[in-house]
Amino acid sequence: MRFATLKNGTLDGRLVLVSSCSQRAVDVAPLAPSLLAALQQWDALEPALRVLAAALETGTAPGAFPFDPALCSAPLPRSPQWLDASAFLNHGRLMERAFNTPPIPHFDTIPVMYQGASDDFLGPCDDVPMPSEADGIDFEGEFGVVCGPVPMGVTPEAALASVRLIVQINDWSLRALGPHEMKTGFGFLQAKPSTSFAPLAVTPDELGDAWQGGRVHLRLHVESNGQWFGHPHGGEMNFGFGQLIAHAARTRRLTAGTIVGSGTVSNQSRDAGSACLAERRVIEILDEGAAKTPFMRYGDAVRMQARWPDGREGPFGAVHQRVVAAGADVAEGR
């Protein structure tokens, strides 16, 4: 099944199911008013949701209408919890060099994760307001999962069974603010603005063989201002999502609707390019002695879309966003 949420002026939006061709949608309101509500009642609702999804595929769903991703919010416009990891060790090690921070102990055996803001996610085509170009505006392409309830102390194997949906993410970062916040020991706050999501959240079966070992085995194609930037493969993830969820739930329960991110998709091969500007800048420093690629400025755009191995558009749809200036009162800190 493929879910999307249309903007309708409410905090949680209008939940719809979307056809496999991404051309048609049908309202889910008779079953659940929002995706969060559906996740909270998943076991009871899933059979009826699958019946409705099947009717949409055969063209027999009553009230079906054309689907337009430009009208979408994030699939979950807000979530009980947003946890983001750094599960691609190649990216993490490059970032250590970027920020000149000491190596993290046990980095290759214990996942690194922070808790981000989950009250104001952005949709796939929303403009992204930023207070200052001097903050080092950066995109970060990654994958994520949306969980059902997860008990404290769950094993990685059992944790993987809690995955209800898979999503594609653009986790915005302000690189100039990150080093100070990391050094405080309290984690990210201002360095992590609202996170963006591709329009569709899909059940694991929609990925077929591309969902293996708790990893998304697809390339994430990234364009910056219309130019190829990278197509790293999600299968190179060092910690699978079962391990990440278990790490998050070691000392607490996770409620339905919790989102866990992979961190920036990153491959060791330089031919794969990158999914964020900071990584490319570090590679330029290592290879050429200086960073040449600038961070984003107002008016710059980024596009991200996972694709199937044969080049077809992938299951999540595309994130296509433009950075804009926030209001003057925000930029001046009022």
Side-chain angles (χ1 to χ4, degrees):
M1 293 183 288
R2 296 149 56 96
F3 294 91
T5 296
L6 302 180
K7 298 177 183 180
N8 67 353
T10 68
L11 291 175
D12 294 308
R14 174 190 178 193
L15 179 62
V16 299
L17 275 165
V18 180
S19 63
S20 59
C21 65
S22 297
Q23 299 299 309
R24 301 183 308 280
V26 65
D27 205 324
V28 184
L31 299 173
S34 68
L35 184 52
L36 182 57
L39 290 162
Q40 291 168 336
Q41 306 172 67
W42 188 263
D43 290 342
L45 292 179
E46 184 181 11
L49 289 169
R50 291 198 176 274
V51 168
L52 182 59
L56 181 62
E57 290 300 317
T58 59
T60 59
F65 56 90
F67 174 66
D68 183 356
L71 303 179
C72 290
S73 66
L76 272 173
R78 54 178 180 162
S79 163
Q81 192 166 203
W82 156 232
L83 305 169
D84 199 20
S86 183
F88 291 85
L89 297 188
N90 182 66
H91 175 76
R93 291 182 175 124
L94 287 170
M95 289 304 98
E96 286 177 354
R97 303 179 77 164
F99 293 121
N100 195 28
T101 55
I104 299 172
H106 312 296
F107 184 58
D108 58 346
T109 57
I110 301 175
V112 174
M113 186 176 291
Y114 77 92
Q115 184 165 338
S118 60
D119 60 328
D120 184 36
F121 293 136
L122 298 177
C125 302
D126 291 345
D127 284 345
V128 182
M130 295 291 184
S132 173
E133 292 179 334
D135 288 339
I137 303 167
D138 198 356
F139 52 80
E140 289 192 63
E142 55 185 272
F143 296 112
V145 295
V146 185
C147 303
V150 180
M152 182 172 65
V154 68
T155 66
E157 294 75 21
L160 196 57
S162 74
V163 172
R164 300 289 182 260
L165 300 167
I166 305 169
V167 292
Q168 180 191 304
I169 299 166
N170 181 9
D171 184 39
W172 291 96
S173 289
L174 299 177
R175 300 299 189 183
L177 306 181
H180 169 74
E181 293 191 332
M182 286 188 286
K183 289 175 183 176
T184 67
F186 275 74
F188 294 123
L189 181 67
Q190 294 179 353
K192 286 293 184 179
S194 296
T195 301
S196 304
F197 288 77
L200 300 175
V202 307
T203 49
D205 57 288
E206 291 286 332
L207 268 64
D209 292 341
W211 178 244
Q212 298 181 39
R215 295 164 173 83
V216 178
H217 288 259
L218 296 173
R219 290 196 177 277
L220 182 58
H221 290 253
V222 181
E223 296 177 4
S224 177
N225 290 326
Q227 300 297 313
W228 177 89
F229 196 84
H231 57 247
H233 195 277
E236 205 166 301
M237 190 174 167
N238 295 85
F239 297 102
F241 279 109
Q243 293 168 285
L244 298 183
I245 297 167
H247 175 76
R250 181 177 179 271
T251 60
R252 56 178 166 172
R253 298 176 297 169
L254 308 181
T255 61
T258 294
I259 305 172
V260 178
S262 67
T264 305
V265 181
S266 179
N267 293 171
Q268 290 189 355
S269 170
R270 300 286 173 83
D271 293 339
S274 298
C276 75
L277 293 163
E279 183 172 300
R280 176 179 277 192
R281 286 168 58 87
V282 175
I283 291 171
E284 290 170 344
I285 292 170
L286 296 176
D287 291 354
E288 305 174 47
K292 298 179 179 179
T293 300
F295 288 117
M296 298 183 80
R297 300 180 65 85
Y298 299 145
D300 285 350
V302 62
R303 189 180 194 277
M304 302 177 180
Q305 184 172 43
R307 291 187 176 273
W308 297 109
D310 62 5
R312 288 180 297 127
E313 295 186 354
F316 311 107
V319 170
H320 194 182
Q321 296 183 291
R322 182 174 60 105
V323 174
V324 299
D329 57 338
V330 174
E332 295 170 9
R334 294 200 300 270

